Amino acid sequence: MASQSVVGFVGLDELSLELATLLLHSGYGVQAFEIPGPLMDDFAKIGGTRCTSPMEAGRGVAAMIILISHRDQLQDIIFGGDGAVKGLNKDVVVILHSTIQPIYIQKLEKRLTEENAAIFLVDAYVSKGVSEVLHGKIMITSSGRSDAIARARPVLTAMSEKLYTFEGEVGAGSKIKMVNELLEAIHLVASLEAISLGVQAGLHPWLIYDIISNAAGNSWVFKNHVPELLKGNDIKHHFLDPFVQNLGIIMDMAKALTFPLPLLAVAHQQLIFGTSHNHRVDDNVPLIKVWEKIVGVSITDAANEEIFNPEENACQITGKGNLVKKIGFIGLGAMGFGMATHLLKSSFCVVGYDVYKPTLSRFANEGGLIGNAPSEVSKAVDVLVIMVTNESQAESVLFGEHGAISALPSGASIILSSTVSPGFITQLERRLQTEHKDLKLVDAPVSGGVKRASMGTLTIMASGTDDALKHTASVLSALSEKLYIIKGGCGAASCVKMVNQLLAGVHIASAAEAMAFGARLGLNTRLLFDFIANSGGTSWMFENRVPHMLDNDYTPYSALDIFVKDLGIVSHECSSRKVPLHLSSIAYQQFLSGSAAGFGRFDDSSVVKVYETLTGVKVEGKLPILKKEIALQSLPSDWPVDPTDDICRLNHSIIKTLIVLDDDPTGTQTVHDIDVLTEWSTETLVDEFRKKPTCFFILTNSRSLSSEKASALVMDICRNICTAAKSVDNMDYTVVLRGDSTLRGHFPEEADAAISILGEMDAWIICPFFLQGGRYTVEDIHYVADSDSLVPAGDTEFAKDAAFGYKSSNLREWVDEKTNGRIPAHNVTSISIHLIRKGGPDAVCERLCNLHKGSVCIVNAASDRDMAVFAAGMIQAEMKGKHFLCRTAASFVSARIGIIPKPPILPKDLGISNENNGGLIVVGSYVPKTTKQVEELKVQCGQLLRIIEISVDKLSMKSIEEREEEISRAADMADVFLRVRKDTLIMTSRQLIAGKTPSESLEINFKVSSALVEIVRRINTRPRYILAKGGITSSDLATKALEAKRAKIVGQALAGVPLWQLGPGSKHPGVPYIVFPGNVGDNKALAEVVKNWSRPVRLSSTKDLLIHAEKGGYAVGAFNVYNLEGVEAVVAAAEEEQSPAILQIHPSAFKHGGVPLVACCISAAEQASVPITVHFDHGSSKQELVEVLELGFDSVMVDGSDLPFKDNVSYTKYISFLAHSKKMHVEAELGRLSGIEDDLTVEDYEARLTDINQAREFIDETGIDALAVCIGNVHGTYPASGPNLKLDLLKDLHELSSKKGVFLVLHGASGLPKGLIKECIERGVRKFNVNTEVRKAYMDSLKNPNKDLVHVMASAREAMKSVVAEKIHLFGSAGKA
């Protein structure tokens, strides 16, 4: 923004000063009115201008920011005598910095519109972020009409790190603040209830805090307020009073909207009780003391007691653990199966039991032993693990018929990992003691989900006797990433789990209430979610479960009925322990309502359906499709400095190689002059490292493999890279896993595989931005451009991929989704476009250096400059010792190595314009975009192409014989088409055949891809070029069909379409190989590339040939032809000598050969690898010439030389006009040659030389392009005395014709000596007609006896070809094609 743009402020607070500072840094001027005081002094210190009234603050501004804390201020500040609007110019935008109720903001907008239609209004709720990414940074939520938002956006963007805009009705800022405060209130009361229950159950409050703040029950309020509560640094009434008042406003709004808020209602009442008690007793009494009186639990005293460290306890116990030889495992459900199989992988002998027999078979397949009853799996075990659903099941498997207790050996230990009540655990321990078998019990509830269970990275809270814990320590350690040993005996661990579940359940229910209320308020629920996730209302469960609500996807990761059970335990315990938990009880009722409504087996986030069913709202929030131009223009301006030169310099200084593991060949679509390897032996990699390259690619094609095979492949490559790098001076390198820009591929499996070999990285970088393909990442949402729109990636056809489908467009949620919750969305960080464009490489470097070890970081980008800035910052971080593993699209690679783009490569750039054979196009991709592109290719190039469609059904679903027949048919036809110089399209039938599972779909893909490989492998003709459409197709063809070990990335055939040249050792070395991604380009892109690379129908016109001859100082031979042999002789000689040539048909030849002879010449010219044109010679009949003009000739000669001059002019002018209308080159003759040509005799006395003065008039009148001159040249054979050419006349004619842009032609070149030919060329002759000598060579060849007609034809062709080649050298055109 230009420095003269000024923003006015009316009213200041601490946030306003920060806003003003940010505006000044962005080049704005600022001026303000405020009552004199410290705030105004600080405003002046930062460079602001003081104003004496609101009206003065509004003079000359582009935007006015008005701070309103109460609705009563609106009249005086805005409309009073010196009110702000009095000083405003036309088209100023007013930004209301306020969260007064929406109705008052809407009334203000109406009044402003009525009184001054030229003023625009938006509201702005200004807050500070609390998330890791936005901690302490300004966030602004603004709403208003689209035109008002557009005007305010530059100012709002300059003031904020994160901007949320809601187009439409003003007041969204106030509404979003309501939702956030609703959550903060519920979370505060829930935190107090959780601590109270835990203390009453004998847990130390600081123990509760330490565990819960790192568990699923955490919230921002719990994390930040509980320590202050426990320390006595309490929330004072001067904060609580307005907070409670705000909650009352929210309740009033809910009443007006007829919307139930049961959780907030209870929390509100609890807080009212707290504030009213304070006012009655003592305003200085901490809230925690008031709460203690309410619930009758002494939290403060408990907080001051000595605390133990549960993790240290775990270290001590596991260090003294006993040897466990055999484990029994009962309960192989989702969690139990993962736990049991991980124990197998940890080398334990495990015997499993489950009531569901197919699960037992699965477990046996994993290598486990199985039993048919609890008693069978309990025999001779050291440890028995129980992971059943509830208390009754635990009771049954232990003490029921064929129960475990009867079979357990003396001294065995039982680990109960089910979530049960502490009371049940205590009773169970006592009951085991009565068995007199010295059975030990460990209370060990688990947390972490199915994925973590299978990986052995659960969080486990365990309690029991020291003996029991030591006896089970190795098992507990194998199953957990975090192990907490809780003092207090059996039941203590379940108490901790109970407290965690209390908070988790309340947080899920409150998230449902908040999001449903936000939907009722008319807010965009996705924007609301993003705001809350960065604000004080967030919680672990909010960030984890709300995405399910937004996607309306209730696939049960954790069923709702589990919280019916778990909160039922809380309800029972609070009753038995005499602790009133009002809020938790209401949350319990909400889950019960959901279960009663039939949602019990749905995901627990489906509790939101209770609200949706009651009120009719829909929380589901599809990401909007954005207008591309508006969305990109709304972003801050690009970083002003192009860092590419710095990147190149830094790359040179650090000598670090970027190794790109490309899961299909399309990743090379943004680079050039880089090697790509298709095999990765240590020897090959050593050779590559020794070149000290900045970058090289390894084509893995892993996207076509199963997940397991892809992981194994990446591990193998990484091992070889490590070995090769160490053997070459310990070469330093960074590995990039180049993946699909539309998010398809083996993530996180490939990243996990790489890390397992390369070691832990400081961060994983996720960067799918790809400008050429229209892929943008903005606000962590990944978009795919479709015409002038940006479509969220999760809503495109790419997300429906049979093998790699996904739902999330938000990349944080995508990581969560693809890792099955192992890396939750809230643990994923990002680098924003705002940081890149405002802070540049240094800010990127700082951000990367401050990431926690092992982080996952999303990179937002909307331009190549963004990518370059990030790359420069990343290199700086690497120079400081940071190491990254990158999962990116193609744009990152070119930015990281400082590639400067170059224009698309054309055939002439590679010197293959004159190659003869047809090009081969192979289409295997099935994405809808490819199908549309193929249809357009057929429309635009159908007449030029030969199309072979192969049946996917026959290749993948039919018998081996039918498959082989289809492959052979396609290969044979393609070989023929290519050999006859036809571009050939081999395409799979477009009906997609998908398997029932992703693995079946991959198998079908493999069958189709392998068939395409076999077809191309059997094609023996060397194609002019090869184009492979689709990533898997292009990879398989390169490596398997063409046997390429390496290739050079030359550049791109079109933006985003890589072009390789196949390396030595491949089936067709040097052949251009176009790797056309399935998802790149518009519908016309494929046709555009094919047209660029196909052999032109006619390579040149006659005029083009003569223009090049004029520039090159040579002449072109025009050879009369009469039959196929003559045509072949001229073309073969021209191709052999790399010369242009003209096929010339005389009227007598046309009389005998007719249209077929013309067609033969035209076809030969089209298929020739050098410029050949077709010319009609000596057209002396108007009727004949008019017919000839319709037959496809490139040029004609109008011969009126036997007519009087005026008649010649008239005749030539008429034909010239008709020919030029068809863009044909016209030659005419002035003068008359003697001699015989094709039985036409011209006696010497009829011959006449070209007159220079007549020539000038003739050229001007007729508009011809070339003039055949008479300078003593003759048709036929020259006399024994030799030719007598008037070279001075020729010189004068050339001087004239060159000024007129007309070329000179000399007929009768047969028999002219070499020296004379050279002199004619020097004096401007650019076309020589040759007839007699070629005909003579034909006739002479007939004198030699031949066995058969074909031998006669061959002999004649070779004889004529020899003469033509000699003339080509004589005319100087050899090598000029």
Side-chain angles (χ1 to χ4, degrees):
M1 180 63 69
S3 59
Q4 65 266 26
S5 295
V6 178
V7 176
F9 284 79
V10 173
L12 294 174
D13 58 9
E14 293 294 338
L15 276 178
S16 299
L17 288 178
E18 289 193 45
L19 301 180
T21 301
L22 290 167
L23 287 169
L24 287 166
H25 288 166
S26 296
Y28 288 90
V30 293
Q31 59 193 41
F33 166 75
E34 175 57 86
I35 297 170
L39 284 172
M40 202 63 198
D41 294 338
D42 290 341
F43 183 78
K45 287 177 184 177
I46 65 172
T49 301
R50 298 174 187 260
C51 297
T52 59
S53 69
M55 182 172 66
E56 184 182 346
R59 286 188 182 137
V61 299
M64 167 66 81
I65 300 171
I66 302 176
L67 177 65
I68 297 291
S69 57
H70 195 274
R71 67 177 186 269
D72 294 341
Q73 297 174 297
L74 290 171
Q75 175 61 37
D76 290 341
I77 291 177
I78 298 178
F79 300 106
D82 289 327
V85 296
K86 300 292 178 67
L88 296 180
N89 294 330
K90 184 179 179 182
D91 294 337
V92 170
V93 61
V94 172
I95 301 172
L96 193 67
H97 177 189
S98 176
T99 54
I100 59 174
Q101 291 186 52
I103 188 170
Y104 300 111
I105 302 174
Q106 292 157 12
K107 287 180 178 179
L108 171 63
E109 181 184 41
K110 182 179 180 182
R111 182 173 176 185
L112 283 172
T113 302
E114 290 172 349
E115 297 184 9
N116 191 337
I119 292 178
F120 300 86
L121 176 71
V122 300
D123 67 314
Y125 169 37
V126 183
S127 59
K128 287 195 173 183
V130 302
S131 64
E132 182 182 353
V133 175
L134 292 174
H135 184 70
K137 303 289 181 64
I138 296 289
M139 302 194 307
I140 296 179
T141 302
S142 182
S143 62
R145 299 194 317 266
S146 58
D147 54 353
I149 289 288
R151 288 179 176 274
R153 191 182 295 276
V155 175
L156 296 170
T157 300
M159 295 189 297
S160 61
E161 180 73 19
K162 185 84 169 181
L163 175 63
Y164 301 93
T165 57
F166 294 80
E167 292 188 2
E169 197 174 59
V170 290
S174 300
K175 294 174 181 178
I176 213 166
K177 180 171 180 278
M178 287 182 181
V179 178
N180 189 63
E181 288 183 336
L182 175 155
L183 285 164
E184 287 182 346
I186 295 171
H187 293 171
L188 177 59
V189 174
S191 299
L192 290 167
E193 288 193 354
I195 294 292
S196 302
L197 181 60
V199 169
Q200 191 72 349
L203 299 175
H204 197 293
W206 283 109
L207 171 69
I208 297 171
Y209 176 77
D210 289 341
I211 294 176
I212 300 299
S213 60
N214 291 294
N218 192 30
S219 68
W220 185 86
V221 168
F222 184 90
K223 180 89 171 178
N224 290 273
H225 285 321
V226 167
E228 300 304 313
L229 289 168
L230 296 179
K231 292 174 185 175
N233 302 330
D234 208 24
I235 303 171
K236 303 297 183 182
H237 71 88
H238 63 79
F239 166 80
L240 274 181
D241 283 348
F243 185 54
V244 170
Q245 289 176 12
N246 288 347
L247 297 181
I249 293 171
I250 297 170
M251 293 303 299
D252 289 343
M253 174 67 79
K255 179 182 177 182
L257 296 173
T258 319
F259 194 93
L261 299 175
L263 293 169
L264 179 63
V266 171
H268 185 214
Q269 293 302 312
Q270 297 283 60
L271 292 172
I272 288 174
F273 187 90
T275 55
S276 63
H277 189 280
N278 261 16
H279 290 308
R280 289 197 306 270
V281 181
D282 182 354
D283 284 349
N284 292 317
V285 174
L287 179 63
I288 193 70
K289 288 294 184 183
V290 177
W291 181 260
E292 287 177 345
K293 291 185 178 181
I294 296 173
V295 298
V297 179
S298 183
I299 297 171
T300 311
D301 291 345
N304 293 326
E305 292 177 2
E306 184 180 356
I307 188 172
F308 63 89
N309 188 319
E311 290 180 276
E312 285 183 7
N313 290 349
C315 290
Q316 293 172 6
I317 292 293
T318 54
K320 303 173 184 177
N322 296 348
L323 178 65
V324 174
K325 296 180 180 178
K326 188 176 182 182
I327 301 171
F329 204 107
I330 299 176
L332 299 175
M335 287 286 287
F337 189 87
M339 293 166 68
T341 52
H342 182 75
L343 289 172
L344 288 173
K345 295 172 188 174
S346 303
S347 302
F348 288 101
C349 174
V350 185
V351 189
Y353 169 73
D354 194 273
V355 293
Y356 188 56
K357 299 306 178 185
T359 299
L360 287 178
S361 299
R362 280 180 61 215
F363 186 62
N365 291 337
E366 294 289 333
L369 303 174
I370 59 173
N372 294 315
S375 56
E376 284 191 30
V377 302
S378 303
K379 293 175 182 176
V381 300
D382 301 301
V383 174
L384 176 66
V385 182
I386 298 175
M387 188 60 186
V388 293
T389 303
N390 52 41
E391 296 174 2
S392 63
Q393 289 182 4
E395 169 82 16
S396 175
V397 299
L398 286 170
F399 299 103
E401 186 177 1
H402 305 298
I405 296 299
S406 62
L408 278 172
S410 296
S413 296
I414 300 170
I415 299 175
L416 182 57
S417 288
S418 307
T419 300
V420 295
S421 67
F424 176 82
I425 290 286
T426 305
Q427 292 173 8
L428 176 59
E429 185 180 38
R430 286 199 295 265
R431 187 169 178 183
L432 290 177
Q433 290 170 357
T434 65
E435 296 291 329
H436 303 297
K437 296 176 68 173
D438 191 27
L439 298 177
K440 305 171 187 66
L441 177 64
V442 174
D443 172 23
V446 301
S447 179
V450 175
K451 186 76 172 180
R452 287 183 176 273
S454 65
M455 296 175 64
T457 55
L458 291 168
T459 295
I460 298 181
M461 295 148 281
S463 61
T465 64
D466 287 349
D467 283 347
L469 291 167
K470 289 176 184 177
H471 196 229
T472 58
S474 61
V475 179
L476 296 171
S477 180
L479 291 171
S480 62
E481 181 179 56
K482 288 185 177 181
L483 176 60
Y484 299 105
I485 299 297
I486 312 297
K487 289 184 178 180
C490 276
S494 284
C495 284
V496 176
K497 180 68 184 289
M498 173 181 67
V499 171
N500 181 74
Q501 294 305 91
L502 179 158
L503 286 165
V506 171
H507 292 165
I508 294 172
S510 63
E513 184 162 301
M515 295 306 297
F517 184 50
R520 184 65 182 86
L521 289 170
L523 295 171
N524 178 313
T525 51
R526 284 199 178 267
L527 286 180
L528 173 62
F529 166 71
D530 194 52
F531 177 88
I532 298 296
N534 289 300
S535 302
T538 193
S539 67
W540 193 96
M541 281 298 186
F542 180 90
E543 294 182 33
N544 188 267
R545 297 304 203 266
V546 171
H548 303 180
M549 303 176 194
L550 295 174
D551 292 337
N552 195 29
D553 178 10
Y554 300 107
T555 303
Y557 295 99
S558 174
L560 183 144
D561 275 345
I562 290 176
F563 271 102
V564 173
K565 170 179 72 77
D566 291 354
L567 289 181
I569 291 172
V570 171
S571 179
H572 177 269
E573 290 295 315
C574 77
S575 176
S576 64
R577 297 179 189 274
K578 311 300 183 189
V579 182
L581 303 179
H582 304 86
L583 185 63
S584 305
S585 297
I586 293 297
Y588 176 39
Q589 295 304 311
Q590 295 299 86
F591 282 104
L592 272 175
S593 298
S595 184
F599 310 134
R601 294 189 177 182
F602 290 14
D603 188 74
D604 50 34
S605 58
S606 66
V607 70
V608 74
K609 288 184 168 291
V610 173
Y611 293 90
E612 290 181 335
T613 303
L614 283 173
T615 64
V617 302
K618 289 293 180 185
V619 170
E620 181 182 8
K622 288 181 69 68
L623 285 166
I625 295 175
L626 306 179
K627 289 290 184 182
K628 179 180 173 182
E629 184 178 2
I630 294 173
L632 298 182
Q633 286 179 350
S634 70
L635 300 173
S637 300
D638 275 335
W639 179 250
V641 180
D642 185 354
T644 302
D645 289 343
D646 289 338
I647 290 171
C648 294
R649 178 179 53 79
L650 291 171
N651 281 329
H652 181 73
S653 65
I654 63 176
I655 314 178
K656 189 170 190 175
T657 299
L658 196 74
I659 305 175
V660 185
L661 275 55
D662 199 357
D663 70 355
D664 77 7
T666 61
T668 57
Q669 56 205 152
T670 59
V671 299
H672 54 78
D673 303 310
I674 299 288
D675 285 338
V676 56
L677 310 180
T678 64
E679 65 96 20
W680 42 85
S681 67
T682 303
E683 295 76 15
T684 299
L685 294 173
V686 167
D687 289 343
E688 197 66 27
F689 273 129
R690 283 177 177 154
K691 299 176 185 177
K692 295 190 175 359
T694 303
C695 172
F696 65 89
F697 279 71
I698 298 175
L699 176 56
T700 69
N701 199 29
S702 56
R703 207 183 303 171
S704 66
L705 304 177
S706 67
S707 176
E708 294 76 14
K709 290 180 180 178
S711 296
L713 178 65
V714 169
M715 291 171 69
D716 181 47
I717 294 172
C718 288
R719 283 192 198 95
N720 289 1
I721 289 172
C722 291
T723 303
K726 288 175 183 176
S727 66
V728 186
D729 303 324
N730 279 316
M731 281 288 292
D732 198 6
Y733 57 87
T734 294
V735 170
V736 175
L737 301 172
R738 204 295 304 184
D740 178 45
S741 63
T742 58
L743 308 179
R744 296 170 299 166
H746 294 293
F747 178 84
E749 292 84 359
E750 288 182 336
D752 289 334
I755 292 298
S756 71
I757 303 300
L758 303 176
E760 187 179 8
M761 299 288 165
D762 289 289
W764 291 4
I765 304 298
I766 309 292
C767 182
F769 165 78
F770 176 40
L771 182 67
Q772 293 87 340
R775 321 289 191 249
Y776 302 86
T777 307
V778 181
E779 304 284 4
D780 298 340
I781 308 297
H782 195 52
Y783 293 96
V784 175
D786 184 5
S787 186
D788 60 351
S789 300
L790 293 180
V791 182
D795 295 331
T796 65
E797 70 268 18
F798 306 113
K800 299 176 179 65
D801 188 276
F804 303 110
Y806 57 91
K807 296 176 182 176
S808 303
S809 303
N810 184 302
L811 291 181
R812 293 170 181 259
E813 296 168 14
W814 177 80
V815 171
D816 190 324
E817 176 185 348
K818 299 303 285 186
T819 61
N820 291 322
R822 189 188 91 203
I823 304 174
H826 68 271
N827 282 352
V828 180
T829 188
S830 67
I831 291 178
S832 67
I833 288 177
H834 189 282
L835 181 143
I836 288 172
R837 297 189 176 187
K838 295 295 185 181
D842 290 345
V844 171
C845 174
E846 180 182 1
R847 180 89 181 101
L848 290 173
C849 289
N850 289 333
L851 293 176
H852 297 305
K853 186 103 173 162
S855 294
V856 176
C857 181
I858 306 301
V859 180
N860 288 274
S863 70
D864 280 334
R865 179 65 57 84
D866 292 338
M867 206 71 273
V869 170
F870 172 77
M874 176 178 161
I875 295 172
Q876 289 180 26
E878 289 180 310
M879 294 177 72
K880 293 182 178 182
K882 297 295 181 181
H883 293 86
F884 305 102
L885 179 71
C886 306
R887 176 80 182 189
T888 78
S891 290
F892 168 80
V893 178
S894 54
R896 175 62 179 73
I897 60 178
I899 285 281
I900 298 172
K902 65 180 184 181
I905 304 295
L906 296 172
K908 63 182 178 62
D909 300 319
L910 301 181
I912 66 156
S913 296
N914 298 326
E915 290 284 339
N916 279 330
N917 294 332
L920 178 62
I921 304 144
V922 184
V923 176
S925 170
Y926 277 97
V927 295
K929 176 168 284 189
T930 291
T931 300
K932 293 175 183 177
Q933 289 173 337
V934 169
E935 290 305 314
E936 185 64 28
L937 173 64
K938 290 179 180 178
V939 170
Q940 293 197 31
C941 307
Q943 292 182 333
L944 308 177
L945 289 173
R946 295 297 178 265
I947 300 172
I948 304 170
E949 182 172 306
I950 54 176
S951 168
V952 171
D953 182 55
K954 289 182 179 179
L955 296 179
S956 62
M957 310 301 286
K958 300 299 183 183
S959 67
I960 295 175
E961 291 76 17
E962 286 180 278
R963 173 183 167 88
E964 171 59 26
E965 182 182 347
E966 190 73 356
I967 290 172
S968 295
R969 178 187 68 85
D972 292 344
M973 290 175 66
D975 229 349
V976 171
F977 292 151
L978 293 173
R979 204 160 48 242
V980 298
R981 306 178 180 185
K982 294 297 182 182
D983 284 0
T984 302
L985 168 64
I986 299 176
M987 59 178 286
T988 52
S989 55
R990 294 290 88 193
Q991 180 184 1
L992 177 63
I993 299 177
K996 296 178 181 178
T997 65
S999 60
E1000 285 185 12
S1001 294
L1002 279 175
E1003 178 63 23
I1004 292 170
N1005 291 346
F1006 172 76
K1007 287 182 178 179
V1008 174
S1009 182
S1010 61
L1012 289 174
V1013 166
E1014 188 59 30
I1015 290 168
V1016 175
R1017 182 186 284 131
R1018 295 185 192 182
I1019 296 172
N1020 295 316
T1021 304
R1022 176 186 170 96
R1024 182 166 178 267
Y1025 68 92
I1026 301 171
L1027 186 155
K1029 188 77 169 75
I1032 294 174
T1033 301
S1034 53
S1035 176
D1036 284 348
L1037 294 188
T1039 58
K1040 299 173 184 176
L1042 303 173
E1043 300 174 356
K1045 303 299 181 187
R1046 66 168 57 235
K1048 175 71 74 175
I1049 305 164
V1050 181
Q1052 284 70 50
L1054 192 71
V1057 180
L1059 172 61
W1060 302 356
Q1061 270 195 305
L1062 300 176
S1066 66
K1067 186 173 182 178
H1068 301 301
V1071 164
Y1073 188 66
I1074 300 170
V1075 180
F1076 205 124
N1079 58 8
V1080 165
D1082 60 18
N1083 292 349
K1084 299 178 181 178
L1086 180 59
E1088 182 180 345
V1089 172
V1090 171
K1091 285 193 291 185
N1092 286 343
W1093 280 79
S1094 294
R1095 295 172 64 257
V1097 174
R1098 302 295 288 271
L1099 294 173
S1100 295
S1101 68
T1102 302
K1103 188 171 186 177
D1104 290 334
L1105 266 57
L1106 299 184
I1107 288 173
H1108 289 303
E1110 180 68 30
K1111 291 178 180 177
Y1114 61 87
V1116 178
F1119 304 93
N1120 284 66
V1121 294
Y1122 301 86
N1123 55 14
L1124 175 63
E1125 297 96 292
V1127 173
E1128 288 181 332
V1130 174
V1131 173
E1135 288 183 333
E1136 197 169 284
E1137 302 299 333
Q1138 286 295 290
S1139 169
I1142 298 171
L1143 294 169
Q1144 198 159 260
I1145 298 178
H1146 190 275
S1148 62
F1150 181 61
K1151 179 180 179 182
H1152 292 285
V1155 173
L1157 177 60
V1158 178
C1160 178
C1161 290
I1162 292 173
S1163 178
E1166 288 177 348
Q1167 297 187 51
S1169 61
V1170 293
I1172 302 285
T1173 62
V1174 185
H1175 178 76
F1176 187 76
D1177 192 28
H1178 286 288
S1180 56
S1181 163
K1182 181 184 291 187
Q1183 180 180 350
E1184 186 176 54
L1185 276 174
V1186 171
E1187 178 186 348
V1188 161
L1189 294 179
E1190 302 299 327
L1191 297 182
F1193 284 92
D1194 291 287
S1195 52
V1196 295
M1197 180 204 171
V1198 186
D1199 187 2
S1201 59
D1202 62 332
L1203 300 173
F1205 177 73
K1206 292 295 183 183
D1207 292 343
N1208 189 1
V1209 169
S1210 176
Y1211 173 52
T1212 303
K1213 184 177 182 179
Y1214 174 77
I1215 298 299
S1216 181
F1217 172 78
L1218 294 178
H1220 282 159
S1221 70
K1222 299 180 179 296
K1223 303 188 184 307
M1224 293 172 67
H1225 173 91
V1226 178
E1227 175 188 328
E1229 187 172 3
L1230 188 60
R1232 188 92 166 125
L1233 271 69
S1234 64
I1236 299 173
E1237 183 172 21
D1238 295 327
D1239 299 327
L1240 298 177
T1241 302
V1242 179
E1243 301 296 341
D1244 289 345
Y1245 68 88
E1246 291 180 348
R1248 54 184 180 272
L1249 301 181
T1250 303
D1251 181 270
I1252 187 74
N1253 293 319
Q1254 283 188 339
R1256 180 180 293 106
E1257 182 180 350
F1258 189 77
I1259 290 170
D1260 290 341
E1261 288 292 325
T1262 61
I1264 58 172
D1265 304 294
L1267 178 65
V1269 296
C1270 300
I1271 57 170
N1273 45 315
V1274 301
H1275 287 304
T1277 305
Y1278 283 93
S1281 59
N1284 180 23
L1285 303 187
K1286 307 297 184 183
L1287 295 179
D1288 288 343
L1289 174 60
L1290 178 61
K1291 180 180 178 182
D1292 292 341
L1293 287 168
H1294 180 242
E1295 185 177 344
L1296 168 67
S1297 64
S1298 60
K1299 292 177 181 177
K1300 303 288 187 179
V1302 171
F1303 305 103
L1304 294 185
V1305 179
L1306 196 68
H1307 291 200
S1310 296
L1312 288 178
K1314 181 177 180 181
L1316 201 52
I1317 290 285
K1318 183 176 180 182
E1319 289 188 79
C1320 288
I1321 293 173
E1322 289 174 351
R1323 286 166 176 77
V1325 173
R1326 296 296 169 244
K1327 173 176 176 271
F1328 284 106
N1329 282 16
V1330 180
N1331 182 18
T1332 303
E1333 289 177 87
V1334 177
R1335 289 201 304 167
K1336 184 176 183 303
Y1338 183 93
M1339 297 303 296
D1340 288 347
S1341 73
L1342 299 180
K1343 297 175 183 178
N1344 299 318
N1346 286 283
K1347 295 180 179 180
D1348 191 80
L1349 177 60
V1350 293
H1351 300 132
V1352 172
M1353 294 170 65
S1355 175
R1357 182 171 57 246
E1358 288 303 313
M1360 289 186 286
K1361 175 185 168 187
S1362 178
V1363 173
V1364 173
E1366 179 186 348
K1367 294 298 181 184
I1368 282 172
H1369 279 278
L1370 192 60
F1371 300 153
S1373 63
K1376 299 297 194 298

